[in-house]
Amino acid sequence: MRRTRSRRASNSATPQMTIPPIGGRFMPLNQGELAHITDTAFDILERIGVSGAPDEIRTLALENGATERADGRITFSRALVEDMIAGACKRVELPGFTRDRGIEIGGGRVHIGTGGAAVQVLDATTNTFRDSTLQDLYNLMRIVDACDNIHYSLRPVVARDLEDPLSLDINTAFAAMKATSKPIGTSFFEPANVTPVIEMFDAALGGEGAFKAQPFCFASVCHVVPPLTLAEEACGVMRECVRLGMPLQICSAAQAGATSPAALAGALAQGLAESLAGLVLVNMMQPGFPCILAFLPFISDLRTGAMTGGSGEAAVANAAAAQLLLNLGLPSTVSAGMTDAKTADAQSGYEKGYTIALAAQAGADMINLSVGMLGSIMAASKEALVIDNDMCGAILRSVRGVEMFEGSIDLDMIEQVVTGEGHFLGTAQTLDLMTKEYVYPSLGDRQSVSDWLESGSQTVWDRAIARVGEIEAQPAPSHLTTEIEAALRARLPIHLKD
């Protein structure tokens, strides 16, 4: 009897590698726990609400059904929140600068990306850490452009060689746009900086309104300062992005034991409430606006109070966050891969491996901070980036699971082999599935011990250095034409070397 999986039709053609795998099979919360945490999040919004609402946001909320407590906190009834969820955008299209490199966010389709705001890079030539620069940002995102298993790139480092906030925002967006034609993400210091960046994107795409038609960049906005306090500047950025048509990734990143309860269930309830508060406000600004909830439950090492990105608690909490948002049908981002290791060593491998795998298996639509990061997201590395790309290929393959398709179980072929040559190496099915059913590492070593010794005994770090060199020796991405780049440089204070 042929068995099929519920998420795929049994009579479909052999699956293609380009289709994003759908997660959701790993469910750290049972149905009762899922309902209890979700109900508690609604209760938090209805009973406690949020503080710190700027005047414009307070007026917007009150005009759209929110209420104000005597102490000034803004609360949202469950009915109001559920109405906003019902009308929210459930699938967010993120085209690339090259449109066909875009992705669709929602429904548990798993995508891997960079993220964070690291302030250092690990320099492989000196094996030392130094302050990150604008050139480092460009170099890292150029590596992303060449990595098959990394689907988008939110700026991974801060250009610490730039001090003026407007110049930093413009140059961060420019370097990201120039480095890769995949979807990118950026952030803004203040609302006034959104317009010049979008004007730059318009010019790069061909004219006024072009970016709104092809929004290849999303804005990462931390709309809330946990616990349950709105961030004034970020709310202003959020409003500007809605007005100008830049998709949003709105972020709640409380740290359990510090800015959210130490109990993971309580931290999840608070974080979900903070995420939903942002969603409500965005949909009050414009119903159905493309908005992705970045629900990032960070974890404290309770011995020191420091953030730990590679813990088992971080792995299960972020997987649960993905499950909670998937259950509500909302586009999700969680964090994973935030190893506490300082180099790409065994600790880095195991911490990244289980945190990313659990998030992916739980159905996170986007996994931020997942590649290239070191030192609890304080540092980034090009070499770690290509190693993590290799790892994520295997993780994404695991999310696909055992796929049933026409001909996947062929009794005639089995009989022919067992009564004939006794192996399946040369069958038509084996040859057909070599690059469809199977994923091969580009850096991971599968040689025998003797062959590995004879070939130079290279470690994965050695091979990563070589791979980075190969990428950097290739022609730079050319989606931003020379003429358009020259025009942008003539009108804007671009500091990235030409």
Side-chain angles (χ1 to χ4, degrees), residues 6-24:
S6 61
R7 290 185 178 268
R8 291 184 174 86
S10 59
N11 292 324
S12 63
T14 302
Q16 298 298 307
M17 293 293 292
T18 54
I19 300 173
I22 300 177

Side-chain angles (χ1 to χ4, degrees), residues 64-122:
N64 284 274
T67 57
E68 186 173 10
R69 294 191 346 175
D71 60 2
R73 300 188 72 89
I74 303 299
T75 61
F76 309 92
S77 70
R78 179 173 186 139
L80 174 61
V81 178
E82 288 179 335
D83 284 347
M84 292 296 177
I85 292 173
C89 179
K90 303 302 193 299
R91 297 288 187 275
V92 176
E93 295 287 344
L94 295 178
F97 192 99
T98 301
R99 186 178 283 275
D100 63 5
R101 299 191 85 183
I103 56 180
E104 180 187 79
I105 305 304
R109 296 169 177 82
V110 181
H111 300 90
I112 301 291
T114 60
V119 295
Q120 293 183 309
V121 294
L122 174 59

Side-chain angles (χ1 to χ4, degrees), residues 407-419:
S408 60
I409 299 177
D410 187 337
L411 291 179
D412 292 338
M413 177 191 66
I414 295 172
E415 182 176 9
Q416 182 179 358
V417 166
V418 299
T419 58

Side-chain angles (χ1 to χ4, degrees), residues 348-386:
S348 171
Y350 70 70
E351 289 182 347
K352 287 172 180 277
Y354 60 66
T355 57
I356 298 173
L358 263 62
Q361 294 289 348
D365 296 308
M366 303 175 81
I367 307 178
N368 278 9
L369 308 157
S370 53
V371 285
M373 307 307 286
L374 296 168
S376 306
I377 64 173
M378 293 301 292
S381 159
K382 293 182 291 185
E383 291 71 26
L385 193 58
V386 294

Side-chain angles (χ1 to χ4, degrees), residues 112-439:
I112 301 291
T114 60
V119 295
Q120 293 183 309
V121 294
L122 174 59
D123 190 326
T125 59
T126 62
N127 202 33
T128 59
F129 292 94
R130 57 172 175 76
D131 286 352
S132 52
T133 66
L134 183 64
Q135 189 65 45
D136 290 321
L137 172 64
Y138 171 79
N139 292 343
L140 283 159
M141 296 186 81
R142 183 179 168 190
I143 299 295
V144 167
D145 191 71
C147 289
D148 292 342
N149 301 312
I150 305 176
H151 307 107
Y152 65 94
S153 189
L154 171 61
R155 56 98 180 89
V157 295
V158 175
R160 299 192 71 188
D161 50 341
L162 298 177
E163 295 183 359
D164 175 67
L166 176 59
S167 180
L168 179 57
D169 284 351
I170 290 173
N171 279 275
T172 296
F174 175 83
M177 174 177 65
K178 178 177 167 60
T180 179
S181 61
K182 294 178 180 180
I184 60 174
T186 193
S187 59
F188 297 95
F189 271 95
E190 55 188 57
N193 296 359
V194 179
T195 293
V197 167
I198 289 183
E199 288 175 347
M200 177 179 69
F201 289 160
D202 275 344
L205 289 172
E208 185 177 354
F211 174 75
K212 200 166 189 177
Q214 187 178 334
F216 62 88
C217 180
F218 61 88
S220 178
V221 181
C222 293
H223 67 285
V224 65
V225 179
L228 293 161
T229 303
L230 295 177
E232 181 174 359
E233 289 294 324
C235 287
V237 169
M238 193 162 65
R239 189 155 195 169
E240 278 296 281
C241 290
V242 171
R243 183 177 71 84
L244 295 169
M246 178 178 278
L248 288 167
Q249 187 188 82
I250 59 172
C251 176
S252 163
Q255 187 172 318
T259 53
S260 66
L264 296 188
L268 288 166
Q270 178 189 307
L272 181 58
E274 291 169 340
S275 297
L276 292 176
L279 181 74
V280 167
L281 293 174
V282 168
N283 281 270
M284 287 177 173
M285 295 173 190
Q286 182 177 316
F289 188 81
C291 179
I292 303 158
L293 302 191
F295 179 6
L296 317 178
F298 287 1
I299 301 296
S300 299
D301 184 321
L302 296 180
R303 298 169 301 180
T304 64
M307 193 275 283
T308 168
S311 65
E313 297 84 12
V316 72
N318 280 278
Q323 183 188 3
L324 286 159
L325 293 179
L326 184 61
N327 182 62
L328 291 171
L330 296 170
S332 69
T333 302
V334 302
S335 56
M338 303 183 295
T339 180
D340 301 315
K342 314 309 180 286
T343 62
D345 56 12
Q347 178 186 348
S348 171
Y350 70 70
E351 289 182 347
K352 287 172 180 277
Y354 60 66
T355 57
I356 298 173
L358 263 62
Q361 294 289 348
D365 296 308
M366 303 175 81
I367 307 178
N368 278 9
L369 308 157
S370 53
V371 285
M373 307 307 286
L374 296 168
S376 306
I377 64 173
M378 293 301 292
S381 159
K382 293 182 291 185
E383 291 71 26
L385 193 58
V386 294
I387 293 171
D388 295 345
N389 175 67
D390 222 34
M391 174 190 66
C392 288
I395 290 173
L396 292 169
R397 177 61 189 89
S398 75
V399 177
R400 283 169 55 195
V402 178
E403 296 171 314
M404 301 295 292
F405 50 87
E406 193 64 38
S408 60
I409 299 177
D410 187 337
L411 291 179
D412 292 338
M413 177 191 66
I414 295 172
E415 182 176 9
Q416 182 179 358
V417 166
V418 299
T419 58
E421 295 188 10
H423 64 78
F424 294 86
L425 292 174
T427 65
Q429 184 193 71
T430 298
L431 296 174
D432 178 57
L433 295 180
M434 279 187 66
T435 57
K436 298 175 182 176
E437 185 87 338
Y438 292 77
V439 172

